[in-house]
Amino acid sequence: MSDQFLQNAFLFRQPILNRRQELAGYQLSFHGGEGIDDDDAVSASRGAGAPLCAAYSELGMHGALGNTCAYIGVDADFLQQEAIELLPPPGVVLELLVDGVPEKATLTRCHGLLQRGYSLALTNYQGIDDRSRPLLPLVSVVKIDLRRAGQARLEELAGSLRQLPLKLLAQGVDNHAQMEACRNLGFALFQGRYFAHAEIVSGRRLSAAHATLIRLCNLVGRDVDTAVIEDAFKHEPALTLNLLRIVNSVGRLGNRSTQPVTSLRHAITLLGRRQLQRWLSLLLLAPGNQANGSLDPARSPLLQVAALRGRMMELLVAVGKPGDHKQADLAFITGILSMMPAALGLPIEEILEQIAVEREVGDALRQHEGLLGTLLALLECFDNDDAACCDSLLSRLPGNYDRQTLNTGLSAALSWLNSSPD
């Protein structure tokens, strides 16, 4: 069954953020579809069994996730299997999918896993009862699903655990108001994509930092002399210093034997306009540090989603058009810009009025037209765990696009993100 899942099921992920709104991990789950029978689909939706562990191993997810954890659901049956010990203890949190009162064998196994360094989480907490009472001393995380609890019930559930040495995780957080309410109740972790659902207001006034970055993006994206770009950077000393730092860092990584780059013009030439535009576009998504040029995906889940989407767009284009570097560049920028409305709180139409982009990129962002538009729509469905939508869009793409293409693309993009110096 593992091979069938690896080839035919979607490996979905949901971000888990901490109280500082930094990425703390991903909930990983499989979702089948056509070609997966009902029993397998049920197992996949619960996140249980060897297929998910096989995917974690074979797709290199441990290295790909960097310093974040993978939350993986395991039911009582799979909990007893030795294969579970192939998962690296520092890289996973095992979610106990236990129905009813846990058996003695389950509790014994949990104790053994704790001794091996694994972290355990209790899902679907409904209060202190015969199911949760023996498990609470063993777990470090308790998940409470907001979709199953109103405000009063949520306060009651959180209150019953507040004095215990564990973290509360709010599942199904759809907006910032829910996140803040849970934070006030003592929740430490929040699962969902609420951070990517900012309020969009037409005509919103941009900050000075955003306006500066958009102006620089425009200059880099147009056919202007390097001296014009150089002069614009000279008015932004923090960005200039970080540009020089990045160019010299890349040089060291490439074992370049030349002297450190101290000239702004030299830095622009070495980095190249393509990479410079990527960097500036990503800075538009960075929280609070746009003016100094700092990029740390761990500090911004929105930045991480944008970078992942850009890289996956680039990898997916290469499947259909191998060797087409220009198309790959356009794909990356399309992915990055697709997250701009959430970052800036502006409609994409108003953003595109201020940033120079290729017509193909604009069509993809506005109407999901062309190959780039279809790939963008596919990744939006993939981010939203919509298997049916993914299948429909995959069938419209020319070439060898399938579910495994998305899974391997996700792993490769995560590896790239976590290995990138900036």
Side-chain angles (χ1 to χ4, degrees):
M1 186 174 70
S2 299
D3 290 341
Q4 185 185 19
F5 264 90
L6 286 173
Q7 295 171 6
N8 295 324
F10 293 110
L11 179 60
F12 288 136
R13 74 203 187 283
Q14 276 201 359
I16 296 173
L17 277 58
N18 61 24
R19 289 178 66 87
R20 296 185 299 275
Q21 298 305 285
E22 299 168 345
L23 189 69
Y26 285 106
Q27 166 82 57
L28 299 183
S29 62
F30 263 128
H31 194 294
E34 295 179 7
I36 302 292
D37 63 38
D38 291 340
D39 290 339
D40 285 347
V42 170
S43 177
S45 66
R46 289 175 59 85
L52 190 52
C53 294
Y56 184 90
S57 175
E58 293 185 26
L59 292 175
M61 294 303 291
H62 178 44
L65 290 175
N67 295 324
T68 61
C69 284
Y71 284 66
I72 297 177
V74 293
D75 61 15
D77 291 334
F78 184 64
L79 194 66
Q80 302 297 333
Q81 297 185 25
E82 292 184 3
I84 202 171
E85 296 176 32
L86 296 176
L87 296 171
V92 299
V93 175
L94 303 176
E95 297 188 349
L96 303 176
L97 305 175
V98 178
D99 296 324
V101 180
E103 298 179 355
K104 183 178 180 180
T106 296
L107 298 175
T108 300
R109 178 59 164 160
C110 287
H111 280 286
L113 290 170
L114 286 175
Q115 292 176 355
R116 289 174 171 81
Y118 288 95
S119 297
L120 306 178
L122 177 62
T123 65
N124 192 29
Y125 177 70
Q126 296 292 326
I128 297 178
D129 53 21
D130 290 341
R131 169 182 175 264
S132 65
R133 190 174 291 107
L135 293 173
L136 285 175
L138 306 176
V139 302
S140 56
V141 177
V142 172
K143 298 183 72 171
I144 299 177
D145 195 335
L146 270 59
R147 294 162 295 192
R148 300 184 180 183
Q151 182 64 25
R153 179 60 173 158
L154 191 63
E155 293 179 10
E156 179 184 345
L157 292 174
S160 67
L161 301 174
R162 192 167 289 132
Q163 303 305 319
L164 298 180
L166 47 76
K167 292 181 179 180
L168 296 182
L169 188 157
Q171 184 178 5
V173 183
D174 293 328
N175 53 61
H176 282 272
Q178 288 181 329
M179 183 274 294
E180 287 295 341
C182 290
R183 194 211 297 258
N184 292 334
L185 290 175
F187 282 81
L189 299 167
F190 313 89
Q191 179 178 332
R193 289 177 55 82
Y194 61 92
F195 59 86
H197 299 153
E199 180 186 5
I200 307 299
V201 179
S202 180
R204 184 191 298 268
R205 184 179 179 83
L206 293 173
S207 68
H210 283 137
T212 295
L213 288 169
I214 286 178
R215 179 168 57 86
L216 289 170
C217 278
N218 263 331
L219 288 176
V220 174
R222 294 193 171 108
D223 188 20
V224 301
D225 189 81
T226 301
V228 177
I229 300 174
E230 181 184 11
D231 182 69
F233 266 94
K234 286 180 178 177
H235 289 83
E236 305 297 332
L239 283 172
T240 296
L241 288 173
N242 276 279
L243 175 60
L244 292 171
R245 178 181 60 83
I246 289 171
V247 171
N248 283 298
S249 174
V250 171
R252 287 194 299 273
L253 290 174
N255 296 318
R256 191 176 60 217
S257 59
T258 59
Q259 295 296 317
V261 176
T262 58
S263 161
L264 183 54
R265 177 181 286 267
H266 191 196
I268 294 171
T269 302
L270 282 177
L271 189 61
R273 297 200 182 192
R274 177 174 67 96
Q275 293 297 338
L276 185 56
Q277 186 178 40
R278 289 185 177 194
W279 178 59
L280 291 169
S281 298
L282 283 168
L283 282 177
L284 279 165
L285 298 160
N289 282 329
Q290 295 93 345
N292 65 21
S294 173
L295 279 179
D296 183 3
R299 293 190 64 254
S300 169
L302 190 64
L303 176 59
Q304 180 155 111
V305 168
L308 278 175
R309 184 175 288 180
R311 180 57 174 162
M312 285 191 72
M313 288 279 293
E314 191 175 29
L315 294 171
L316 291 175
V317 158
V319 173
K321 294 188 174 183
D324 191 334
H325 299 299
K326 180 179 180 181
Q327 193 76 1
D329 290 341
L330 296 181
F332 187 91
I333 290 297
T334 300
I336 295 297
L337 294 180
S338 69
M339 299 305 300
M340 291 292 181
L344 304 183
L346 282 172
I348 190 63
E349 292 82 3
E350 294 186 22
I351 294 172
L352 293 180
E353 288 175 358
Q354 303 177 63
I355 298 179
V357 298
E358 298 272 356
R359 180 176 179 179
E360 188 175 356
V361 173
D363 289 344
L365 292 167
R366 290 187 182 96
Q367 294 97 21
H368 288 116
E369 290 184 357
L371 175 62
L372 295 182
T374 303
L375 290 175
L376 175 59
L378 173 63
L379 292 186
E380 289 172 348
C381 291
F382 193 51
D383 282 345
N384 290 324
D385 299 357
D386 191 336
C389 178
C390 288
D391 278 332
S392 174
L393 290 166
L394 283 170
S395 68
R396 290 167 48 187
L397 289 168
N400 300 317
Y401 290 96
D402 55 20
R403 297 172 178 179
Q404 183 70 355
T405 305
L406 279 177
N407 294 338
T408 55
L410 170 61
S411 179
L414 284 167
S415 295
W416 167 83
L417 183 65
N418 284 298
S419 64
S420 177
D422 255 298

